[in-house]
Amino acid sequence: MLSASELQARAKAATNVGHHERALSLLDRARARATTDDERALIEGTAGYAHLELGHLDQARRVTDDAVRLAATDDVRGIVLGQRAVVRGRTGAREEALADFADAIALLHHRPEYLGRCLLNRGTLRLRAASVRDATDDFAGALAAFAAAGL
């Protein structure tokens, strides 16, 4: 039997290839097996992204808010703040998204893969707002973080 973490990892992989309904099904199973608040937070963060991609915007906002509330460690809090920032940015809450990205980035300095994702996503949000210089800085930071992660 797969653990909650293994199911969440499979759901994350499913969202990465556009299989969002499959991801939500896996996450339902993961919820039933989760034993820690950090596991629950990561499950809800992944669910938020899947809901966002499916157009379930209210649900995406709700579950990413839940994920941030559940996060027990700084690592997981940084990860789910980054996920909530993406949801907020894509649902029109730009200032709140930028605040979440800033908080996530401060927590993820030792997790270069996640740091790179946050910087890349914040850079994209800034580019859409025509903040080209800030976006360029974020993209350069993302490249450095991804290189540090071996990606």
Side-chain angles (χ1 to χ4, degrees), residues 79-91:
I79 292 166
V80 298
L81 278 166
Q83 291 169 318
R84 184 172 75 175
V86 169
V87 169
R88 285 178 162 182
R90 290 197 27 209
T91 59

Side-chain angles (χ1 to χ4, degrees), residues 24 27-28 31 40-52 55-71 80-81 83-88 91 93 100:
L24 291 173
L27 293 167
D28 285 341
R31 280 185 192 96
R40 289 179 191 92
L42 292 169
I43 289 164
E44 297 310 324
T46 302
Y49 183 77
H51 283 297
L52 179 68
H56 309 152
L57 305 184
D58 289 338
Q59 185 76 350
R61 286 187 289 264
R62 186 185 65 74
V63 297
T64 54
D65 285 345
D66 290 346
V68 171
R69 279 192 291 276
L70 286 166
V80 298
L81 278 166
Q83 291 169 318
R84 184 172 75 175
V86 169
V87 169
R88 285 178 162 182
T91 59
D100 277 352

